[in-house]
Amino acid sequence: MVLWSKEQDKLSEMSTGAIEMKKDSVAPAYHHSNGSVHPVILSESGPDVQPGAGEYELKEVTAFTDGAEHDPERPEMVVIDCRPNAKGQREEDALLENASQSNESDDTSTDQSPVPPAPLKETSFSIGLQVLFPFLLAGFGTVAAGMVLDMVQHWQVFQEVTEVFILVPALLGLKGNLEMTLASRLSTAVSSYRSVKKTHNCCVLPQVQATVVGFLASIAAVIFGWIPEGEFKLNHAVLLCASSVATAFIASLLLGLIMIGVIIASRKVGINPDNVATPIAASLGDLITLALLAGISTGLYKELGYNDYVNPLVCVFFVALTPIWVLIARKIPSTKEVLYSGWEPVIIAMAISSVGGLILDKTVSNPNFAGMAVFTPVINGVAGNLVAVQASRISTYLHMNGLAIGEPDPASQKCITPCSTFFGSGVNSRSARVLFLLVAPGHLVFLYTINSMQGGHTTLTSIFIAFYLAAALLQVMILLYLADWMVQWMWGRGMDPDNFSIPYLTALGDLLGTGFLALCFHILWLIGDRDTDVGD
């Protein structure tokens, strides 16, 4: 509230006691027509003056010039309008509160959490428009990865050490376990206007997880390869360990740095990072990881006959770096908690993906089903991209609604059904419909691209395309429903979906995609739609 009177210049000469008397002389309040209340302060010329009734004139002015003409013999009280602000707090109260805080400390740059912005109202068209380009970019990345896998499956290391195929889904799944999780976490942070000045620190934790998961994936590959054959080769086991750890570490570092740049840049240009970050992570992740795995495993395989110490030395080097990354991650508050609690999803997801890798190994090793290799990264990559976008969007939606983790979303149903996931009226159902409708057109474009480049060992007949699209649609439908249920379930139980949901969903996508694709090839072989000479 602002006090303006004729005697204002004399206020500085008044004693402290006079000021206290003025505070005590607060008269009735003036009620404005808009509901705001204006307290009336009696303006006095001195502490001994006690004016009688009728000696004050109450005015509401919008400019100081309104009070230019008045009776010089009569004191005047002017009340400047003090309407409540958006939070129901009067502006003068807020100023007094801020003043009292500033008096307590000379530091005027105290950190105060900004109010998160309201979620943008996105239409189906805007969601599809933002997702389309990253989706196609990611899809062409998976096509490139499929072409690489189709080519390297004939290399000597893949022929002699077939367990390398088991590593493929597990290591490609790291983009979901680590990079997509990192992208989802950073997207939520940036969308909520949290600090992104130290986002490079987020790359530390994925390095620890990548090294450990790469090591465990190699052990799983050794076990899955040893059980059916009943033969254990130590040099092959060391080769798998060195190749897996080195590939996981280098790929995670490169993709983590790229993700930070993509998310910050997308926010600056006004694009929802949830729609962009995870598909780009997937597009680059598949290609980079598979190229590194093929190159590193081939180089280390050649060293087996000349320098036996190279493979163990590579293993020891990358494993020895793990304690250093752990010490760095413990000093970062944002990663310290996940360092101790974030292992369960990535390890379980690695095990699930390894089962898919076992299916891939046993299917591709059969010459009749060699054509499956080129399509495996595509069907798994597309599904992983779409479900990661949906999971990231739902998680960001819950965060931005102001709900505490562990507090169920009142807008969601207690029992989530496929109908509520795809036919609901909420923004998450709208995005699920948009993402599902992208599956068939996207796969047709990717299949045409593979056919144009004469990749693979399978002719694209109408029967094959029908079976392939049926498998892809069923896979994505299951994953989108699981994403809706899983994110809500984790949120209600105090688990941050950004850290837990995407690894499970992408691993399940790898298992479902590889299993459905292998089933399609077996069915096509049984009904007579068979050819394996294309691309040889």
Side-chain angles (χ1 to χ4, degrees), residues 367-390:
N368 295 325
F369 306 125
M372 178 179 169
V374 71
F375 301 108
T376 301
V378 178
I379 192 171
N380 292 342
V382 169
N385 300 344
L386 296 178
V387 74
V389 169
Q390 181 69 353

Side-chain angles (χ1 to χ4, degrees), residues 4 22 83 136 153-154 183 188 196 288 295 338 342 419 431 483 507 514:
W4 183 270
K22 286 179 63 63
R83 295 180 176 85
L136 292 176
Q153 68 174 326
H154 304 293
T188 299
V196 293
I288 292 176
V338 185
C419 290
S431 63
T514 307

Side-chain angles (χ1 to χ4, degrees), residues 2 7 28 46 179 259:
V2 180
E7 318 299 324
E179 275 66 46
M259 276 305 91

Side-chain angles (χ1 to χ4, degrees), residues 306-447:
Y306 304 99
N307 302 309
D308 294 338
Y309 63 87
V310 173
N311 287 279
L313 185 62
V314 172
C315 289
V316 171
F317 173 75
F318 285 103
V319 172
L321 291 177
T322 304
I324 299 177
W325 291 110
V326 170
L327 293 176
I328 298 176
R330 289 181 60 184
K331 296 180 180 179
I332 304 174
S334 60
T335 61
K336 183 177 181 180
E337 179 181 356
V338 185
L339 179 64
Y340 296 104
S341 62
W343 292 101
E344 178 184 348
V346 294
I347 293 177
I348 295 178
M350 180 272 302
I352 296 173
S353 297
S354 296
V355 176
L358 180 60
I359 298 174
L360 176 64
D361 179 26
K362 297 305 176 183
T363 306
V364 176
S365 298
N366 188 339
N368 295 325
F369 306 125
M372 178 179 169
V374 71
F375 301 108
T376 301
V378 178
I379 192 171
N380 292 342
V382 169
N385 300 344
L386 296 178
V387 74
V389 169
Q390 181 69 353
S392 180
R393 288 179 60 89
I394 298 174
S395 178
T396 301
Y397 169 82
L398 294 174
H399 278 283
M400 296 185 68
N401 272 358
L403 298 174
I405 296 181
E407 179 182 353
D409 182 15
S412 64
Q413 298 181 359
K414 294 183 178 180
C415 182
I416 299 176
T417 62
C419 290
S420 64
T421 299
F422 293 98
F423 302 104
S425 59
V427 64
N428 295 326
S429 298
R430 190 181 305 124
S431 63
R433 292 192 294 269
V434 172
L435 296 175
F436 182 76
L437 292 176
L438 289 175
V439 176
H443 273 296
L444 289 176
V445 173
F446 304 144
L447 290 177

Side-chain angles (χ1 to χ4, degrees), residues 268-282:
K268 288 184 177 181
V269 298
I271 298 177
N272 189 345
D274 291 315
N275 297 335
V276 178
T278 49
I280 292 180

Side-chain angles (χ1 to χ4, degrees), residues 244-290:
S244 180
V245 172
T247 300
F249 183 92
I250 298 174
S252 179
L253 180 62
L254 293 177
L255 292 173
L257 295 176
I258 293 174
M259 276 305 91
I260 292 175
V262 167
I263 290 174
I264 296 178
S266 63
R267 187 63 188 182
K268 288 184 177 181
V269 298
I271 298 177
N272 189 345
D274 291 315
N275 297 335
V276 178
T278 49
I280 292 180
S283 65
L284 299 176
D286 285 341
L287 183 59
I288 292 176
T289 303
L290 193 55

